[in-house]
């Protein structure tokens, strides 16, 4: 048996309270293990700590969960009557059995104080991870405001609306009023959540270099325009998420200007990380001050400083009170201090308990997802997993499940259903540009809408909009294409996927089981047996016959018996 592959930690996500009474335990082994048992009891069953009495454990079989490329995950759930647990594992391979404790592996069972067992000391209700339930039912739509729609409330002098490549120097005049005018369109598309990139005062088009966090940028309109947008969105059943740029500010932010002028004498000196004085603003590779990346025009804010924390927490409270927003996305969310995020969460959840707090983190975000900071993050690792599979024809169908399973196993189940899942954004090349074919484009979208999470599409995806890396991914929305046969067909297909995602309970939970077929036939089931759906994606080059099944809900390249290369079939299991 591969003993080195056996791993467990008595903390999330491997020891996770699903609610106040239910505990999920996960063990990772090599793929050579063929059975695992959980051996458990109440920590005080054998007496209080320090006593010499042995304890008698009960046994519960653990079920295979995700099969990874080199590992197998096993899970079980139980309801400890006193909300605490002491436990270890029995790992089997044929006649061989090893017992796994917190302090190591042994070939014999030992339940006394000479070994250190794993412990869940107490399932505190306040520690249960509980993202807002509405998020798992939501399909998001991300908008880069300058390029979506002109409503006429912004400043004059914009460039004519056009198709094709753009730069960050181009201003086209999209604004909040334009977004408001398109809310009925978004509601018909099936959108339930709207994510806007920054809208507060800034000299740039992208607004990630904020000058005034309290004022709507005149390019986009006024505070009244934002109020009207949120109110109209709510009337259309759409929630609104604003972008919070708290890791850094722009060069025009008043506290930064004061530091530039007065140096250590400025009352805002501790708001930033200035390491040389005097200094000139510019590229920060020499360490003169810390900034976002090495961008001298985006000085890094010190979110460890109590005054900075209070300033931005109060700002968010005002956004919630004044505009009744539903969610906040935190830019560069992995560089903001944990202390700040914990304090902010307490304050904002007291104000609006179902407010959705989303972090922009491109890697494993476990330290931020333990229930006291973000509710979820932008799930770029899942995007990478899908890219890796669909862009590498050499990978077998099993690889889809390996990589998706790895992404899902990284977090507690309730976080998985709230994760902001996406295939592209204002920071990445657009899906249609990187997809090898139209079939590949639709297969990835089918995966997005049938995997756990809260899916988001980037504006224009419904029209197969193209765009290269930032800034070219921020092109003008081609509204005229809605009137073409190709545009209408694309729009209607995505509308159907969105409707399926919103209507089927099986797609809104976390239950998933992979059953890959021959070649590169990806196949998995969603939901419990009573409501299960089967998803089949033929990512290979050969047609794949499929056995008869239940009601067909969505398909492309399916003739009733054979799924063509590039084909999609979603049906009741």
């Amino acid at each position: 048996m591969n003993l080195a592959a056996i791993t467990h930690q008595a903390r999330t996500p491997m020891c996770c309270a699903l609610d106040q009474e239910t505990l999920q335990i996960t063990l990772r082994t090599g793929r050579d293990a063929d059975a695992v048992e959980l051996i458990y009891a109440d920590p005080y069953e054998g007496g209080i700590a320090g006593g010499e009495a042995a304890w008698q454990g009960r046994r519960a079989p653990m079920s295979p969960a995700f099969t990874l490329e080199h590992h197998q995950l096993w899970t079980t759930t139980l309801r400890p009557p006193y909300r605490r647990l002491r436990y270890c594992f029995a790992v089997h391979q044929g006649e061989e059995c090893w017992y796994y404790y917190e302090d190591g592996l042994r070939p014999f069972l030992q339940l006394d104080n000479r070994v250190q067992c794993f412990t869940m000391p107490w399932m505190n209700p306040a520690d249960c991870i509980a993202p807002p339930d509405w998020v798992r039912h939501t399909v998001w739509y991300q908008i880069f405001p300058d390029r979506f729609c002109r409503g006429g409330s912004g400043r004059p002098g914009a460039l004519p609306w056009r198709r094709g490549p753009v730069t960050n120097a181009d201003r086209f005049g999209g604004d909040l009023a334009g977004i408001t005018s398109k809310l009925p369109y978004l509601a018909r598309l099936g959108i339930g959540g709207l994510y806007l990139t920054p809208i507060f005062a800034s000299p740039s088009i992208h607004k990630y270099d904020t000058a005034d966090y309290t004022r709507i940028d005149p390019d986009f309109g006024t505070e009244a325009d934002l109020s009207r947008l949120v109110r109209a969105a709510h009337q259309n059943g759409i929630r609104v998420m604003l972008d919070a740029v708290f890791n850094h500010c722009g060069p025009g932010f008043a506290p930064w200007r004061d530091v530039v002028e007065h140096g250590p004498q400025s009352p805002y000196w501790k708001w930033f990380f200035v390491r040389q004085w005097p200094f000139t603003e510019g590229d920060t590779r020499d360490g003169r001050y810390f900034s976002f990346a090495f961008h001298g025009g985006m000085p890094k804010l010190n979110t460890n400083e109590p005054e900075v924390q209070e300033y931005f927490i109060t700002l968010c409270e005002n956004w919630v009170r004044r505009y009744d927003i539903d969610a906040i996305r935190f830019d560069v969310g992995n560089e903001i201090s944990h202390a700040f995020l914990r304090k902010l969460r307490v304050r904002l959840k007291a104000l609006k308990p179902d407010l959705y707090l989303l972090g922009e983190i491109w890697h494993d975000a476990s330290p931020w997802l333990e229930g006291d900071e973000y509710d979820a993050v932008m799930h770029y690792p899942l995007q990478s997993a899908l890219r890796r599979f669909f862009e590498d024809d050499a990978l077998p169908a099993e690889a889809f499940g390996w990589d998706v399973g790895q992404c899902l196993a990284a977090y507690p189940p309730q976080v998985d259903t709230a994760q902001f899942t996406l295939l592209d954004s204002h920071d990445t090349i657009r899906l249609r540009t990187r997809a090898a074919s139209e079939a590949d484009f639709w297969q990835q979208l089918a995966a997005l809408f049938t995997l756990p999470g809260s899916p988001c599409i980037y504006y224009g995806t419904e029209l197969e909009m193209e765009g290269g890396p930032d800034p070219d991914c921020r092109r003008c929305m081609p509204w005229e294409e809605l009137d073409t046969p190709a545009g209408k067909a694309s729009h209607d297909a995505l509308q159907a996927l969105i409707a399926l995602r919103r209507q089927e309970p099986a797609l809104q939970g976390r239950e998933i089981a992979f059953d890959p077929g021959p070649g590169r036939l990806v196949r998995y089931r969603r939901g419990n047996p009573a409501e299960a759906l089967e998803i089949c994606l033929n990512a290979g080059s050969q047609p794949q016959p499929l056995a008869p099944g239940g009601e067909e809900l969505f398909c492309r390249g399916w003739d009733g018996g054979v799924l063509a290369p590039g084909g999609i079939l979603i049906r009741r299991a």
Side-chain angles (χ1 to χ4, degrees):
M1 192 187 307
N2 182 1
L3 301 183
I6 300 173
T7 304
H8 176 79
Q9 289 185 314
R11 54 174 298 175
T12 58
M14 302 190 93
C15 178
C16 176
L18 303 183
D19 53 44
Q20 295 183 23
E21 297 181 348
T22 309
L23 188 65
Q24 177 175 286
I25 304 291
T26 300
L27 178 72
R28 188 179 76 176
T29 70
R31 292 181 63 175
D32 55 351
D34 52 34
V36 174
E37 296 172 289
L38 180 74
I39 303 171
Y40 67 96
D42 186 88
Y44 297 105
E45 187 169 292
I48 62 172
E52 290 301 314
W55 56 282
Q56 299 300 311
R58 289 173 287 281
R59 295 192 178 222
M62 300 185 72
S63 301
F66 298 119
T67 298
L68 309 181
E69 185 172 9
H70 302 294
H71 297 89
Q72 176 68 51
L73 299 182
W74 306 77
T75 64
T76 190
T77 57
L78 58 162
R79 297 166 69 88
Y82 303 103
R83 300 187 184 180
R84 60 199 180 206
L85 203 71
R86 171 191 287 175
Y87 60 96
C88 62
F89 303 91
V91 184
H92 301 268
Q93 181 192 27
E95 298 299 318
E96 185 180 2
C97 180
W98 286 81
Y99 296 91
Y100 180 45
Y101 310 88
E102 189 174 74
D103 56 359
L105 285 150
R106 290 175 176 79
F108 51 86
L109 180 62
Q110 187 173 350
L111 301 178
D112 57 36
N113 285 339
R114 290 175 293 172
V115 296
Q116 186 68 36
C117 289
F118 296 99
T119 302
M120 161 54 83
W122 177 254
M123 296 165 61
N124 278 296
D127 295 334
C128 290
I129 300 171
D133 187 66
W134 61 263
V135 177
R136 68 188 180 93
H137 305 286
T138 300
V139 174
W140 295 90
Y141 191 93
Q142 181 190 355
I143 289 177
F144 191 80
D146 182 69
R147 311 288 163 76
F148 184 66
C149 182
R150 285 198 287 222
S153 65
R155 291 185 287 201
L159 295 171
W161 208 257
R162 70 166 189 258
R163 298 185 62 175
V166 296
T167 73
N168 276 331
D170 299 331
R171 185 168 67 84
F172 292 96
D175 54 19
L176 297 178
I179 297 171
T180 303
S181 73
K182 295 298 184 180
L183 288 172
Y185 162 81
L186 295 175
R188 289 192 299 271
L189 185 61
I191 299 305
L194 194 59
Y195 159 40
L196 306 180
T197 56
I199 59 173
F200 295 97
S202 155
S204 69
I205 294 300
H206 54 73
K207 312 299 179 191
Y208 282 100
D209 50 353
T210 313
D212 188 344
Y213 292 90
T214 66
R215 187 167 62 95
I216 303 299
D217 193 285
D219 283 350
F220 298 154
T222 65
E223 284 71 24
D225 287 320
L226 179 57
S227 294
R228 279 190 287 269
L229 168 59
V230 176
R231 187 164 56 249
H234 289 171
Q235 290 168 354
N236 280 275
I238 298 173
R239 300 179 193 253
V240 178
M241 177 160 63
L242 297 185
D243 209 331
V245 189
F246 297 165
N247 172 67
H248 56 270
C249 64
F253 186 44
W256 175 248
R257 297 313 322 152
D258 196 274
V259 166
V260 171
E261 181 176 352
H262 300 108
Q265 303 307 312
S266 169
Y268 303 105
W269 178 254
K270 291 185 179 180
W271 282 41
F272 304 93
F273 295 95
V274 180
R275 306 174 73 208
Q276 299 174 11
W277 179 256
F279 68 86
T280 56
E281 295 174 90
D283 187 292
T284 59
R285 284 177 174 81
D286 62 2
R288 66 187 78 178
Y289 54 88
F290 289 140
S291 66
F292 169 65
F294 296 113
H295 196 305
M298 294 183 176
K300 188 173 179 64
L301 289 154
N302 183 4
T303 52
N304 306 279
E305 179 63 29
E307 287 185 9
V308 175
Q309 295 176 357
E310 185 61 30
Y311 176 86
F312 286 110
I313 292 172
T314 300
L315 182 78
C316 290
E317 289 174 331
N318 289 338
W319 291 352
V320 174
R321 290 193 181 101
R322 181 168 183 176
Y323 304 114
D324 194 25
I325 61 170
D326 307 284
I328 301 175
R329 180 261 194 189
F330 294 84
D331 186 58
V332 197
N334 56 342
E335 295 188 31
I336 301 170
S337 81
H338 291 284
F340 167 65
L341 291 171
R342 293 185 185 110
K343 187 183 297 185
L344 177 140
R345 181 184 180 89
V346 169
R347 293 266 292 272
L348 293 185
K349 292 289 187 174
L351 189 61
K352 191 168 187 174
D354 68 346
L355 188 73
Y356 180 49
L357 302 178
L358 177 71
E360 182 208 9
I361 299 180
W362 292 58
H363 52 82
D364 181 358
S366 299
W368 291 268
L369 294 174
E370 296 186 352
D372 57 350
E373 297 184 43
Y374 299 129
D375 290 311
V377 296
M378 301 178 79
H379 209 338
Y380 281 107
L382 180 63
Q383 179 205 60
S384 297
L386 295 178
R387 285 196 64 174
R388 188 161 50 250
F389 178 78
F390 285 102
E391 295 178 12
D392 186 350
D393 292 341
L395 290 175
E398 290 87 353
F400 183 94
W402 297 340
D403 287 353
V404 171
Q406 180 68 46
C407 290
L408 295 174
Y411 306 114
Q414 55 270 55
V415 170
D416 283 335
T417 60
Q419 289 283 64
F420 191 88
T421 55
L422 70 166
L423 297 172
D424 51 9
S425 72
H426 66 291
D427 284 325
T428 74
I429 187 172
R430 280 187 173 267
L431 172 63
R432 187 63 189 92
T433 295
R434 65 172 174 79
S437 65
E438 186 177 28
D440 182 74
F441 170 83
W442 284 105
Q443 283 194 326
Q444 291 191 55
L445 282 169
L448 176 70
F449 283 101
T450 58
L451 290 173
S454 187
C456 177
I457 59 170
Y458 191 29
Y459 76 99
T461 298
E462 68 270 36
L463 298 172
E464 299 189 27
M465 186 170 163
E466 298 179 338
D470 170 13
D472 190 47
C473 55
R474 303 166 180 181
R475 297 183 182 185
C476 297
M477 176 74 172
W479 291 106
E480 70 282 359
E481 289 192 17
L482 282 169
D483 298 324
T484 67
K488 186 178 187 305
S490 177
H491 169 278
D492 291 353
L494 187 59
Q495 186 179 49
L497 273 177
I498 293 172
L500 187 65
R501 173 61 176 71
R502 295 187 63 171
Q503 293 166 8
E504 293 295 331
L507 299 180
Q508 296 166 10
R510 196 223 189 203
E511 297 86 359
I512 188 168
F514 297 98
D515 180 26
R520 277 171 53 85
L521 177 63
V522 172
R523 188 166 54 201
Y524 52 97
R525 289 193 176 205
R526 292 296 316 279
N528 59 51
E531 60 186 22
L533 302 185
E534 181 186 30
I535 296 90
C536 300
L537 310 173
N538 184 0
S541 59
Q542 299 298 317
Q544 294 292 344
L546 295 175
E551 177 190 2
E552 296 166 9
L553 303 175
F554 183 92
C555 60
R556 292 173 67 92
W558 167 247
D559 66 4
V562 175
L563 190 61
I568 301 166
L569 173 62
I570 303 173
R571 62 185 178 182
R572 300 204 184 279

